[in-house]
Amino acid sequence: MIIQTLAFYLFAAITVASAFMVVAARNPVHSVLYLILAFFNSAALFLLMGAEFIAMILVIVYVGAVAVLFLFVVMMLDINVAELRQGFLKYLPIGAAVGLVLFAELILAFGAWTMAPGAQAAMRARTPAPGRVDNTEALGRVLYTDYFFLFQVAGLVLLLAMIGAIVLTLRARPGVRRQSVPDQIARRRDEAVSVVKVPLGGGI
Amino acid sequence: MPLMEFFTTHWLGQLIVIVAKCLAVTVPLLVSVAYMTLADRKIWGAIQLRRGPNVVGPFGLLQPFADGLKLFLKETIIPSGAAKVLFIIAPMITFVTALVAWAVVPFDDGWVIADINVGILYLFAISSLGVYGVIIAGWASNSKYAFLGALRSAAQMVSYEVSIGFVLVTVLLCSGSLNLSEIVRAQTGGIHHWYMWPLLPMFVIFFISSLAETNRTPFDLPMSEAELVAGFHTEYSAMTFGLFFLGEYANMILLSGMGVVLFMGGWHAPLPFAPFTWVPGVVWFALKIATLLFVFSWTKGTIPRYRYDQLMRLGWKVFLPFSLFWVVATAGVIAFARGH
């Protein structure tokens, strides 16, 4: 138990410190790397809670895919840090306001989660008995039976966002020669090669 | 027996057992990495009608150790424009991620360091971390060749991970478990029960994607010598390069191990009767991995490098739709067979 507590404080401290460094780091690439460290430590926190499925999904989705794309984009862009810093104080009140609103919402959500009528009973009902069913299966059951419709709608929203992003960035440029693999494979020798008798001293 | 008690109950004894288990996996793994490099060169030699390394030791058997010693004794050069800390961390990330993934691989029934519920997800998560070693190396080197190699590699590994993910989904639909030992147990009973037959197209996609994940020919664009010198590790020398090299080979062995666990029945003998079942499971496991690794080397000696747009086309336009279709088909067949 004492090791678990120590591990919790270690991971939590690293998460908070690296989250701070995401904002404070001078180099945007370092910011993204700190963000990855924060993701990784939050996954460790989930593991400590016994939510191994969510921990692994966090690593696969956020560390393995999302952060790679972040890093990719940030490395490609030539971001001037000094220019970014110029408006820092001007935007500080807005940033603080957004932070406060988010914090208040978190408190409200937590309050509603613990104090709403029937919430305690619901929490007890959702938790499967330990050792009988692992939490991958438990999550699957809740998602695909109780919340099937909402789950599908969430998937559709993501699909819509993806199509939107593709439509916004797709440009059909005229005059581009594209490779057509079936055409290349279907080509025969007699279409591609012709034997020509070249007269002496003359060209074709 | 007080000694047994010490190892099973006392925390120090348990710690010693854990460390011993880790060493029992890591040391043979590193030795097989060393001999994999030799086998690779011997196989290419045979393909090109050469002898391959045959001077150091009998049949060149000491060649990998000579190479290792040479790398160890060379000078580590850090370019003046490089981001020093990241430059040194990058090869460590590649090497460590290739090693820690072995924690969940079952070598025989019960021979596994951590028999966790979400073993397959753990493997997938760790193998998706390997890309950071490459991309950080490319950026920290502060060199155009290394950076281009790293960008190619990042795009390539992310693309092929998607289809590997769908391949894993089909396997776990069939086995009904995320635990690697359970997946192997679901394939008990001879070669015809292995998942490589019902899921043959997925096995092929998995193998080709693992070539792309490990940056091997025909997908070795991140380090294509003709254009990028040595790709993301152009600026690396001595042991920092050595760690990349070891990590790359350990990753190849890991992906072969994954293929064996998911599709080739893990530790099970190919035929479930007497002379075959006398051989221990761990030997079958190693033999199967060696078979897949041979195909890795064979491919490298045979197939020319893909062009970059062909690589992307294959990943996104061929493998992704096909594996997506196969997931739906597998799920449909299973649901139909269970009579839902």
Side-chain angles (χ1 to χ4, degrees):
Chain A
M1 207 57 213
I2 180 101
I3 293 177
Q4 225 173 2
T5 317
L6 281 178
F8 171 78
Y9 281 114
L10 180 72
F11 293 137
I14 296 177
T15 310
V16 173
S18 51
F20 176 74
M21 287 306 289
V22 174
V23 189
R26 291 180 156 270
N27 191 325
V29 173
H30 291 179
S31 285
V32 178
L33 293 174
Y34 278 116
L35 184 68
I36 295 163
L37 191 63
F39 282 149
F40 211 76
N41 280 283
S42 351
L45 288 176
F46 273 122
L47 266 188
L48 280 182
M49 288 169 70
E52 75 261 10
F53 181 74
I54 296 184
M56 291 303 155
I57 291 296
L58 187 71
V59 174
I60 292 171
V61 174
Y62 283 91
V63 182
V66 174
V68 174
L69 297 180
F70 269 24
L71 203 57
F72 204 88
V73 172
V74 168
M75 280 177 177
M76 299 276 280
L77 296 176
D78 189 21
I79 298 173
N80 191 343
V81 186
E83 230 168 69
L84 277 178
R85 296 267 151 176
Q86 272 177 359
F88 188 68
L89 276 180
K90 202 169 71 182
Y91 293 114
L92 193 64
I94 302 173
V98 171
L100 267 181
V101 168
L102 282 178
F103 189 63
E105 278 178 350
L106 266 181
I107 289 175
L108 279 178
F110 184 72
W113 182 59
T114 47
M115 287 181 297
Q120 293 288 342
M123 268 186 268
R124 272 196 297 275
R126 293 271 176 270
T127 312
R132 214 148 38 84
V133 62
D134 55 37
N135 66 50
T136 314
E137 202 179 330
L139 261 177
R141 280 193 184 154
V142 172
L143 273 184
Y144 282 94
T145 47
D146 298 359
Y147 298 104
F148 181 73
F149 180 68
L150 289 175
F151 187 64
Q152 295 293 320
V153 169
L156 276 182
V157 170
L158 286 177
L159 180 70
L160 210 67
M162 189 179 88
I163 294 174
I166 293 172
V167 168
L168 284 177
T169 52
L170 188 70
R171 277 181 303 172
R173 277 181 298 177
V176 177
R177 287 169 51 136
R178 291 196 185 281
Q179 182 184 18
S180 161
V181 175
D183 282 0
Q184 288 179 337
I185 294 171
R187 211 156 83 130
R188 296 273 152 259
R189 185 177 180 275
D190 41 312
E191 301 166 36
V193 182
S194 58
V195 180
V196 182
K197 200 160 178 72
V198 185
L200 255 182
I204 302 172
Chain B
M1 254 208 276
L3 196 64
M4 275 310 280
E5 228 167 73
F6 171 71
F7 282 124
T8 49
T9 53
H10 196 264
W11 65 270
L12 188 65
Q14 284 175 339
L15 191 70
I16 292 172
V17 169
I18 291 172
V19 171
K21 274 182 181 172
C22 295
L23 284 179
V25 171
T26 318
V27 172
L29 181 67
L30 290 180
V31 173
S32 39
V33 164
Y35 278 102
M36 180 61 206
T37 61
L38 182 68
D40 239 8
R41 294 167 68 182
K42 283 275 188 192
I43 293 167
W44 305 333
I47 288 174
Q48 298 162 2
L49 300 179
R50 295 183 284 113
R51 282 175 193 280
N54 64 347
V55 175
V56 189
F59 308 107
L61 280 178
L62 296 177
Q63 183 71 42
F65 298 102
D67 288 345
L69 194 66
K70 186 195 80 175
L71 277 179
F72 200 74
L73 293 176
K74 283 203 161 190
E75 183 193 356
T76 306
I77 299 166
I78 299 176
S80 53
K84 273 201 192 63
V85 179
L86 289 178
F87 187 81
I88 294 174
I89 285 178
M92 293 184 193
I93 293 176
T94 306
F95 185 62
V96 169
T97 52
L99 286 189
V100 291
W102 284 92
V104 295
V105 176
F107 296 92
D108 199 343
D109 206 351
W111 285 30
V112 51
I113 294 179
D115 197 17
I116 57 175
N117 280 334
V118 287
I120 196 168
L121 287 180
Y122 174 83
L123 266 186
F124 191 53
I126 296 295
S127 71
S128 69
L129 292 183
V131 66
Y132 283 111
V134 173
I135 198 169
I136 291 174
W139 186 77
S141 299
N142 194 18
S143 145
K144 294 226 170 18
Y145 292 129
F147 188 56
L148 281 174
L151 286 183
R152 281 184 179 187
S153 171
Q156 170 181 333
M157 285 164 114
V158 169
S159 311
Y160 279 82
E161 241 165 51
V162 182
S163 47
I164 285 196
F166 281 118
V167 171
L168 297 187
V169 172
T170 55
V171 171
L172 60 92
L173 272 174
C174 291
S175 68
S177 173
L178 293 165
N179 181 313
L180 290 173
S181 303
E182 288 300 322
I183 290 172
V184 175
R185 275 184 210 116
Q187 304 175 56
T188 310
I191 192 165
H192 55 285
H193 285 283
W194 295 355
Y195 285 150
M196 59 185 286
W197 304 118
L199 300 176
L200 187 63
M202 292 287 104
F203 184 44
V204 174
I205 287 184
F206 177 81
F207 184 75
I208 297 175
S209 302
S210 54
L211 288 175
E213 279 282 298
T214 49
N215 299 326
R216 286 280 288 196
T217 335
F219 306 112
D220 58 346
L221 287 134
M223 45 192 110
S224 48
E225 299 88 351
E227 314 130 56
L228 294 180
V229 189
F232 64 88
H233 54 53
T234 305
E235 305 293 335
Y236 282 85
S237 57
M239 244 3 240
T240 48
F241 168 75
L243 285 183
F244 271 125
F245 196 71
L246 289 174
E248 191 184 310
Y249 273 87
N251 243 331
M252 261 164 57
I253 301 180
L254 174 74
L255 278 158
S256 305
M258 235 166 123
V260 168
V261 166
L262 297 177
F263 292 102
M264 295 171 73
W267 63 75
H268 289 304
L271 295 168
F273 41 77
F276 299 102
T277 46
W278 289 342
V279 180
V282 64
V283 174
W284 283 122
F285 188 74
L287 278 178
K288 288 171 187 173
I289 287 187
T291 315
L292 279 185
L293 285 175
F294 173 74
V295 186
F296 265 82
S297 306
W298 186 13
T299 320
K300 177 149 186 165
T302 315
I303 298 177
R305 185 178 297 138
Y306 259 48
R307 223 170 47 214
Y308 198 69
D309 61 314
Q310 291 172 327
L311 172 106
M312 283 297 159
R313 181 181 163 274
L314 185 71
W316 290 105
K317 291 189 182 170
V318 181
F319 282 0
L320 182 63
F322 186 75
S323 50
L324 200 57
F325 161 75
W326 202 268
V327 168
V328 176
T330 314
V333 167
I334 289 172
F336 184 71
R338 285 185 190 161
H340 284 297

